[in-house]
């Protein structure tokens, strides 16, 4: 607890009794800060260190550093952050629990107590990433997809059952409940928390969290500070290790005005993403303020906050206000909790009103909401926003024109292919721009009644007008929670959606993470035979290359009603503002404007059909309501019994042979380049989550173990097996390695012989030869998902350092967490400027046990004829604690050594 020096303890009297809280306002009274001008998000961080001051790692200096936050500071100091809880999903959660199980095994080998490896703060894992869209456009698609999900993932689910009984403070939300971020928003998050420490009084404090999914930031819309981290950082936090971070700059984003009729929260979010990417807010907090907040519903705010990873920010924060309280009531939170939230946040200066003093920010942006227009984003980056009226022109410019430049000289109609759909002999033409996937999916939009109701109303209007979806479009509806289907059903909107093929397929991320399932064989044949640029339109947050489906090159993010509209049109090669979607029964053209619902219609439907009772009912048994899940049997005991024959769960090699003391830091000498990569390399490029190709190293591994292709499942589902994941690292089918120009996929050249082979095979050959490896990259390296396997796989390929022009926040931390050195080219330098071809020998000079944060190191380069040159790089070990993690070979290695008493 904090020292009396701060005199910060206060009493809060409520109808539930008396609580203790640590008042940041008292620091202002003592002249230590001007709290009411601090950004709201900084106030939450200040409360955290104040309350936990002198708990080993957190000191009075940390309190004073945050209390003295200034808008502009040339050097930001680091501080330790202890979140109140951790949240996970199964793709990242399974490997995290595998790591904890492996740490228990290692603890026994080191002669320690295995039970020391146990979460000390609450951890919730929501299973939402496993369901695939195998069945669609049929009434039984939901049931059939759920059945096959349990069949495919039996081993993983048995393992999680073991984790439930082996670890304290660990709960699992079963499949078919909802998407982790929506479940968190609608139920798990409390805004304020109550805990009793030892035998003292109950303490009330802000709910804070980190999650093993980058879109954990969705909870920022509820006034909760939380963000995504890699699994290894989350595991360290679970075990009591504070997260080491720099006190952030905070960008203030002023919203004012009102959205125009027909413009939705998705359109606003895509506009915000574009603006903030251009601003470059990587590693910064973004906090929204201004009169425009008063007109934004909480789900609208959550939609914007959700996509913080897409605009690069650590958080996209909306302070607690009257709308927060309204949403807590709408979602069935207890009345006592809502009252406590109001009382506490007002007393603590965390409650925003229209008369609140405007905080001071490091930088400012502003947006007049009335200027936002209906938009999509694509074809491969979320920040590439396209106004609806420009979609047809942009599709030609972005995708068709480059084909012509490569000598194809084709119009979008010249390569059309007739394909037979289904078993009834229906035929249709597909060509460039044909939409083969239309998916209402993801946490971003399916949490928001305004856009989901809009999609249902548009579908109803389309059916009434006699329109239907094109037969080659794979349609799907995967809501973020059970509540969505409750209100759609009560409003009579599930049926018209189903009539257009948008039947329920599951409650999970599905298409947004690449679990889009197979396309019709005839559709695939049409795409491949014509070398067609097929398209997908989804209401998701990510559209990176190779993510949605291997046969779909053009992927566009859009609001749910636009997804339905494009499914009706069947192509992105259309101007929906001027061209008809189709014709009615008498041959009259029907336009988008004819079926687009009005804002008043949407408001009335929400007011009538979205009710607190729905939330109370669906979440009353959220941890125990799935009978199939409850019937699963798994191992018991404090240690996991590793099965060497399993293709899903294996003991990872990270802690095998761990020594009590780390090896000394040494220079990296004689390294070869595994890959030279460009800008915006995502964690999907580094560690794919979707389908496993049969001819890939991972596919061959599974086939050798008699796993049939239909049972491959996905990379994401096999993250508990390092053998699969290491083989899949840099295995994205759209990866472009400059060492093999003109080739896409996970290939490289081995030097000095120059032979082309898979990246995995080359890494194994280099390892046999005793040659360390590096990767060269451009700007924004590691953007996208928080997946720690992008760092784990890199380390297991024997990559010792990544040299990039810039790093995304989470991936840089993950690299350090796995003992891989992130190095940044100095301003103006990159592989091209320095004339690096990739066939050179690299040595990293200046690395030793005296290494300090952000040290400048020298890279010595020797080319094939023996000529040498040098350049300098910045070591992106930003804090003393990150240096210590690197020294130990990773975060968990340090934690394990500490817990074993070394």
């Amino acid at each position: 607890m904090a020292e009396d020096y701060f005199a910060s303890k206060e009493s809060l009297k409520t109808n539930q009794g008396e609580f203790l809280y640590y008042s940041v306002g008292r620091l202002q009274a003592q002249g230590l800060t001007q709290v009411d001008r601090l950004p709201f998000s900084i106030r939450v961080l200040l409360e955290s260190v104040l309350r936990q001051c002198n708990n080993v790692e957190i000191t009075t200096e940390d309190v004073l550093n945050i209390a003295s936050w200034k808008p502009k500071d040339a050097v930001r100091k680091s501080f330790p952050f202890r979140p109140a809880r951790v949240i996970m999903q199964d793709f990242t959660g399974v490997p995290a629990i595998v790591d904890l199980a492996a740490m228990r095994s290692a603890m026994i080998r080191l002669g320690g107590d295995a039970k020391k490896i146990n979460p000390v703060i609450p951890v919730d894992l929501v299973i939402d990433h496993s369901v695939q869209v195998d069945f669609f456009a049929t009434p039984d698609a939901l049931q059939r997809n759920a059945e096959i999900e349990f069949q495919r993932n039996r081993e993983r689910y048995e393992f999680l059952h073991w984790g439930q009984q082996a670890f304290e403070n660990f709960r699992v939300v079963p499949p078919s409940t909802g998407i982790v971020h929506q479940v968190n928003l609608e139920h798990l998050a409390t805004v304020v928390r109550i805990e009793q420490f030892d035998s003292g009084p109950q303490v009330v404090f802000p709910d804070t969290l980190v999650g093993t999914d980058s879109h954990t930031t969705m909870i920022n819309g509820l006034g909760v500070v939380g963000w995504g981290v890699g699994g290894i950082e989350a595991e360290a936090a679970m075990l009591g290790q504070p997260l080491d971070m720099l006190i952030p700059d905070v960008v203030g984003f002023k919203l004012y005005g009102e959205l125009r009729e027909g413009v939705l929260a998705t359109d606003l979010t895509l506009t915000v993403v574009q603006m903030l990417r251009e601003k470059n807010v990587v590693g910064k907090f973004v906090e929204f303020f201004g009169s425009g907040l008063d007109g934004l519903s909480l789900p609208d705010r959550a939609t914007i906050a959700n996509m913080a990873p897409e605009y690069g920010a650590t958080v996209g924060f909306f302070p607690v206000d009257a709308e927060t309280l309204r949403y807590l009531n709408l979602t069935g939170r207890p009345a006592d909790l809502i009252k406590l939230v109001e009382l506490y946040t007002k007393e603590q200066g965390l409650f925003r009103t229209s008369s609140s003093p405007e905080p001071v920010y490091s930088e400012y942006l502003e947006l007049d909401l009335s200027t936002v227009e209906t938009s999509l984003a694509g074809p491969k980056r979320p920040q590439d926003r396209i106004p609806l009226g420009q979609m047809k022109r942009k599709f030609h410019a972005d995708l068709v024109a480059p084909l012509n430049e490569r000598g194809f000289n084709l119009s979008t109609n010249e390569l059309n292919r007739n394909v037979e759909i289904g078993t009834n002999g229906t035929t249709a033409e597909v060509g460039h721009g044909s939409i083969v996937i239309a998916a209402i999916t993801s946490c971003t939009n399916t949490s928001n009644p305004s856009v989901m109701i809009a999609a249902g109303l548009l579908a109803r209007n389309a059916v009434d007008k006699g329109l239907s979806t094109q037969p080659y479009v794979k349609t799907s509806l995967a809501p973020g929670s059970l509540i969505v289907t409750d209100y759609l059903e009560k409003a009579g909107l599930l049926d018209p959606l189903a009539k257009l093929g948008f039947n329920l397929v599951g409650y999970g991320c599905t298409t947004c993470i690449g679990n889009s399932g197979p396309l019709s064989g005839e559709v695939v044949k049409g795409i491949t035979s014509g070398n067609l640029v097929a398209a997908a339109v989804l209401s998701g947050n990510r559209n990176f290359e190779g993510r949605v489906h291997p046969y779909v090159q053009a992927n566009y993010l859009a609001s749910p009603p636009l997804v339905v509209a494009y499914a009706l049109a069947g192509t992105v090669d259309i101007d929906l503002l001027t061209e008809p979607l189709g014709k009615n029964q008498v041959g009259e053209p029907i336009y988008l404007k004819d079926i687009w619902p009005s804002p008043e219609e949407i408001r009335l439907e929400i007011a009538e059909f979205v009710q607190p009772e729905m939330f109370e009912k669906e979440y009353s048994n959220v941890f125990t309501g799935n009978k199939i899940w409850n019937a699963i049997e798994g191992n018991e005991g404090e240690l996991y019994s590793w099965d060497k024959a399993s293709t899903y769960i294996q003991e990872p090699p990270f802690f095998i042979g761990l020594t009590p003391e780390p090896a000394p830091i040494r220079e990296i000498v004689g390294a070869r380049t595994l890959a030279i990569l460009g800008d915006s390399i995502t964690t999907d490029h580094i560690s794919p989550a979707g389908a496993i190709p049969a001819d890939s190293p991972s596919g061959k591994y599974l086939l050798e173990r008699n796993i049939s292709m239909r049972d491959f499942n996905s990379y994401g589902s096999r993250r508990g097996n390092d053998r699969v994941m290491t083989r899949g690292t840099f295995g994205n089918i759209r990866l472009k390695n400059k060492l093999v120009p003109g080739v896409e996929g996970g290939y490289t050249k081995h030097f000095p012989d120059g032979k082309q082979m898979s990246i995995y095979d080359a890494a194994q050959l280099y390892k046999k030869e005793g040659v360390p490896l590096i990767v060269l990259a451009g700007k924004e390296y590691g953007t996208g998902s928080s997946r720690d396997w992008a760092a784990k796989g890199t380390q297991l390929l024997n990559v010792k350092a990544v040299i990039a022009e810039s790093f995304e926040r989470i991936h840089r931390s993950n690299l350090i967490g796995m003992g891989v050195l992130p190095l940044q080219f100095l301003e103006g330098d990159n592989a091209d400027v320095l004339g690096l071809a990739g066939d050179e020998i690299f040595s990293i000079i200046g690395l030793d046990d005296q290494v300090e944060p952000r040290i400048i190191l020298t890279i010595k380069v020797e080319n094939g004829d023996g000529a040498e040159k040098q350049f300098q790089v910045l070591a992106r070990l930003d804090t003393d604690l990150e240096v210590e993690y690197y020294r130990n070979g990773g975060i968990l290695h340090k934690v394990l050594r500490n817990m074993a008493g070394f």
Side-chain angles (χ1 to χ4, degrees):
M1 298 299 174
E3 288 184 351
D4 290 338
Y5 164 73
F6 292 114
S8 60
K9 298 176 185 177
E10 294 275 7
S11 178
L12 184 67
K13 295 180 180 179
T14 75
N15 57 5
Q16 304 171 61
E18 192 169 343
F19 298 94
L20 179 71
Y21 76 98
Y22 287 79
S23 170
V24 295
R26 290 291 291 273
L27 297 180
Q28 180 163 320
Q30 296 174 55
L32 296 174
T33 185
Q34 191 172 354
V35 173
D36 59 2
R37 300 307 302 278
L38 291 177
F40 286 91
S41 50
I42 294 294
R43 298 177 208 181
V44 175
L45 298 183
L46 178 57
E47 188 283 337
S48 176
V49 294
L50 178 64
R51 173 171 38 87
Q52 300 179 93
C53 182
N54 289 336
N55 275 9
V56 187
E57 296 92 351
I58 301 176
T59 67
T60 55
E61 183 181 2
D62 296 314
V63 176
L64 293 171
N65 285 341
I66 298 180
S68 60
W69 182 90
K70 295 179 179 60
K72 296 185 183 297
D73 211 331
V75 178
R76 291 288 186 195
K77 295 180 180 179
S78 65
F79 79 101
F81 175 67
R82 288 180 177 274
R85 59 191 178 96
V86 170
I87 197 163
M88 302 191 289
Q89 36 88 341
D90 53 307
F91 266 21
T92 51
V94 166
I97 303 304
V98 166
D99 284 349
L100 294 185
M103 290 178 76
R104 280 195 169 181
S105 297
M107 183 69 88
I108 294 297
R109 291 194 295 269
L110 292 169
D113 180 2
K115 287 187 177 179
K116 284 186 176 180
I117 308 298
N118 192 87
V120 296
I121 58 176
V123 179
D124 290 308
L125 186 151
V126 181
I127 299 176
D128 66 354
H129 273 53
S130 296
V131 62
Q132 290 188 183
V133 187
D134 290 285
F135 301 97
F136 67 100
T138 61
D140 62 349
L142 175 66
Q143 178 184 342
R144 296 177 75 183
N145 286 328
E147 289 171 352
I148 199 168
E149 175 191 353
F150 274 92
Q151 292 168 11
R152 282 185 179 132
N153 296 284
R154 179 184 56 82
E155 284 186 62
R156 299 171 67 240
Y157 292 173
E158 287 176 350
F159 174 72
L160 290 176
H161 262 265
W162 168 80
Q164 275 189 137
Q165 63 83 35
F167 296 109
E168 298 175 0
N169 289 327
F170 176 56
R171 303 183 298 185
V172 177
V173 175
S176 299
T177 302
I179 299 175
V180 54
H181 311 302
Q182 187 158 346
V183 173
N184 192 24
L185 186 75
E186 293 178 350
H187 181 70
L188 297 176
T190 54
V191 184
V192 299
R193 296 181 64 84
I194 302 169
E195 287 189 21
Q196 189 162 15
F197 300 95
D198 302 322
S199 58
Q202 289 185 310
V203 178
V204 59
F205 55 94
D207 181 17
T208 59
L209 71 151
V210 293
T212 60
D213 187 291
S214 56
H215 294 106
T216 300
T217 54
M218 186 170 194
I219 207 62
N220 302 160
L222 194 64
V224 175
V225 171
W227 60 85
V229 296
I232 44 184
E233 277 191 289
E235 293 158 47
M238 292 180 216
L239 298 172
Q241 184 80 6
L243 298 175
D244 188 48
M245 60 184 291
L246 296 176
I247 299 172
D249 287 342
V250 183
V251 178
F253 198 128
K254 183 177 182 179
L255 300 175
Y256 62 95
E258 295 182 359
L259 294 174
R260 290 178 292 169
E261 183 170 332
V263 176
L264 301 174
T266 311
D267 308 310
L268 169 59
T269 301
L270 294 178
T271 304
V272 168
V273 169
Q274 181 185 42
M275 293 176 66
L276 286 170
R277 260 299 165 188
E278 291 174 354
K279 183 73 173 175
N280 186 12
V281 295
V282 174
K284 301 175 183 179
F285 281 17
V286 171
E287 186 167 296
F288 295 91
F289 71 102
S291 58
L293 269 63
D294 297 329
L296 286 183
S297 71
L298 197 130
D300 287 355
R301 301 175 185 187
T303 306
I304 297 169
N306 177 284
M307 291 187 73
E310 279 62 57
Y311 45 83
T314 303
V315 302
F317 189 72
F318 291 82
V320 174
D321 61 8
E323 171 61 15
T324 314
L325 302 179
R326 188 200 69 80
Y327 182 79
L328 291 174
N329 181 67
L330 173 68
T331 51
R333 264 60 170 228
D336 285 346
L337 171 65
I338 299 171
K339 187 63 178 175
L340 181 61
V341 168
E342 181 176 11
L343 286 172
Y344 173 75
T345 54
K346 286 181 175 177
E347 287 291 327
Q348 193 68 291
L350 298 175
F351 193 91
R352 183 198 75 90
T353 68
S354 57
S355 61
S356 297
E358 186 177 295
V360 178
Y361 296 108
S362 307
E363 300 173 80
Y364 290 84
L365 259 77
E366 63 178 46
L367 174 63
D368 180 350
L369 298 179
S370 68
T371 65
V372 176
E373 53 189 323
T374 304
S375 302
L376 297 90
K380 59 184 179 181
R381 297 196 310 176
Q383 64 262 42
D384 295 331
R385 185 182 66 85
I386 306 170
L388 180 60
Q390 296 180 26
M391 263 294 291
K392 182 174 183 176
R393 180 183 65 79
K394 282 290 289 177
F395 171 70
H396 281 260
D398 292 340
L399 294 162
V400 179
L403 283 176
N404 292 339
E405 288 172 8
R406 285 157 50 194
F408 287 89
N409 296 317
L410 302 167
S411 75
T412 54
N413 297 318
E414 286 178 345
L415 277 183
N416 286 1
R417 291 291 186 270
N418 285 318
V419 297
E420 187 171 314
I421 310 298
T423 57
N424 60 0
T426 300
T427 60
E429 265 194 354
V430 295
H432 286 316
S434 289
I435 294 168
V436 295
I437 293 176
I440 300 176
T441 177
S442 102
C443 51
T444 307
N445 287 291
T446 61
S447 65
N448 194 333
S450 66
V451 294
M452 295 301 289
I453 291 285
L457 289 171
L458 186 138
R460 186 183 68 188
N461 296 341
V463 170
D464 289 346
K465 295 284 187 181
L467 297 178
S468 59
T469 53
Q470 297 301 318
Y472 49 80
V473 183
K474 182 172 186 176
T475 47
S476 59
L477 170 62
S481 78
L482 295 165
I483 285 84
V484 176
T485 42
D486 280 356
Y487 62 68
L488 287 176
E489 185 174 29
K490 286 182 170 58
L493 300 177
L494 269 185
D495 184 57
L497 283 165
K499 286 180 178 176
L500 296 181
F502 288 93
N503 298 78
L504 287 171
V505 297
Y507 294 91
C509 305
T510 62
T511 304
C512 190
I513 55 158
N515 281 359
S516 49
L519 293 175
S520 157
E522 285 298 315
V523 169
V524 171
K525 188 185 300 181
I527 294 170
T528 55
S529 65
N531 194 29
L532 300 179
V533 179
V537 180
L538 63 151
S539 64
N541 43 45
R542 297 237 165 101
N543 53 351
F544 303 138
E545 289 182 299
R547 179 183 177 98
V548 171
H549 196 282
Y551 291 106
V552 180
Q553 293 188 51
N555 300 283
Y556 296 95
L557 308 180
S559 65
L562 272 186
V563 172
V564 178
Y566 271 103
L568 297 169
T571 181
V572 294
D573 187 20
I574 184 175
D575 182 352
L576 290 187
L577 295 183
T578 61
E579 297 180 65
L581 289 166
K583 295 181 179 180
N584 62 14
Q585 294 93 330
V586 296
E588 297 172 333
I590 304 297
Y591 294 86
L592 181 62
K593 64 183 180 181
D594 298 328
I595 60 173
W596 194 268
S598 71
E600 186 61 23
E601 285 180 277
I602 296 169
R603 279 194 293 269
L604 289 173
E605 295 286 316
I606 292 173
E608 182 173 358
F609 297 110
V610 183
Q611 298 296 327
E613 300 80 47
M614 296 176 177
F615 296 87
E616 293 168 6
K617 169 180 168 289
E618 296 295 359
Y619 285 114
S620 63
N621 60 349
V622 64
F623 296 102
T624 59
N626 189 309
K627 293 180 180 178
I628 303 176
W629 170 261
N630 295 339
I632 293 175
E633 296 180 357
N635 292 312
E636 293 189 0
E638 64 184 43
L639 294 179
Y640 185 71
S641 299
W642 304 103
D643 179 2
K644 292 184 178 180
S646 173
T647 58
Y648 277 101
I649 307 294
Q650 286 291 335
E651 182 176 8
F654 310 130
F655 313 117
I656 302 294
L658 184 74
T659 57
E661 293 293 331
I665 296 175
R666 292 286 183 263
E667 294 180 342
I668 299 168
V669 178
R672 289 286 187 178
T673 305
L674 187 63
I676 301 180
L677 306 172
D679 295 341
S680 300
I681 293 299
T682 71
T683 50
D684 279 89
H685 285 112
I686 305 168
S687 184
I692 302 173
D695 60 352
S696 68
S698 297
K700 292 173 184 176
Y701 169 88
L702 294 172
L703 290 171
E704 287 166 2
R705 281 148 187 81
N706 298 316
I707 305 298
S708 65
M709 284 184 59
R710 69 173 180 272
D711 294 324
F712 272 13
N713 213 333
S714 64
Y715 279 115
S717 66
R718 292 191 180 272
R719 287 183 184 156
N721 185 344
D722 61 279
R723 285 73 159 168
V724 172
M725 299 308 298
T726 305
R727 286 169 170 81
T729 303
F730 296 109
N732 188 299
I733 61 170
R734 299 289 177 225
L735 185 76
K736 297 176 181 67
N737 181 359
K738 295 180 183 179
L739 291 178
V740 282
V743 177
E744 285 191 335
Y747 296 96
T748 192
K749 282 182 181 176
H750 172 268
F751 294 104
D753 56 46
K755 291 182 179 177
Q756 181 174 312
M757 59 186 71
S758 76
I759 283 178
Y760 174 78
D761 289 340
Q764 298 312 299
L765 183 53
Y766 280 127
K767 190 172 184 179
K768 185 178 179 181
E769 296 167 346
V771 176
L773 299 173
I774 64 168
V775 169
L776 302 175
K779 300 180 181 70
E780 299 176 358
Y781 184 76
T783 188
S785 298
S786 66
R787 63 192 61 166
D788 52 349
W789 261 108
K792 287 177 175 177
T794 299
Q795 188 253 17
L796 290 177
L797 289 177
N798 202 33
V799 173
K800 301 300 183 183
V802 176
I803 310 176
E805 290 183 69
S806 64
F807 291 89
E808 290 291 288
R809 174 186 61 86
I810 299 176
H811 187 61
R812 184 194 67 84
S813 295
N814 280 342
L815 288 172
I816 297 167
M818 288 308 302
V820 179
L821 183 63
L823 301 173
Q824 190 164 307
F825 288 109
L826 298 187
E827 187 69 31
D829 281 351
N830 58 39
D832 290 337
V833 169
L834 295 167
L836 302 177
D839 58 353
E840 306 93 344
I841 296 173
F842 293 78
S843 295
I844 302 172
I845 308 302
L847 270 179
D848 57 33
D849 271 338
Q850 306 307 311
V851 65
E852 296 178 348
R854 299 182 70 84
I855 191 172
I856 299 294
L857 298 172
T858 297
I859 308 293
K860 186 174 74 174
V861 184
E862 180 183 330
N863 64 23
D865 59 12
E868 290 188 1
K869 60 183 174 182
Q870 295 182 353
F871 64 95
Q872 292 185 314
V873 293
L874 172 67
R876 287 300 310 277
L877 304 171
D878 288 353
T879 67
D880 289 329
L881 194 53
E882 287 186 345
V883 170
E884 196 60 25
Y885 292 154
Y886 178 68
R887 185 188 314 281
N888 275 270
I891 296 177
L892 299 181
H893 303 74
K894 174 177 168 56
V895 171
L896 190 53
R897 287 185 174 110
N898 288 348
M899 287 189 163
F902 300 126

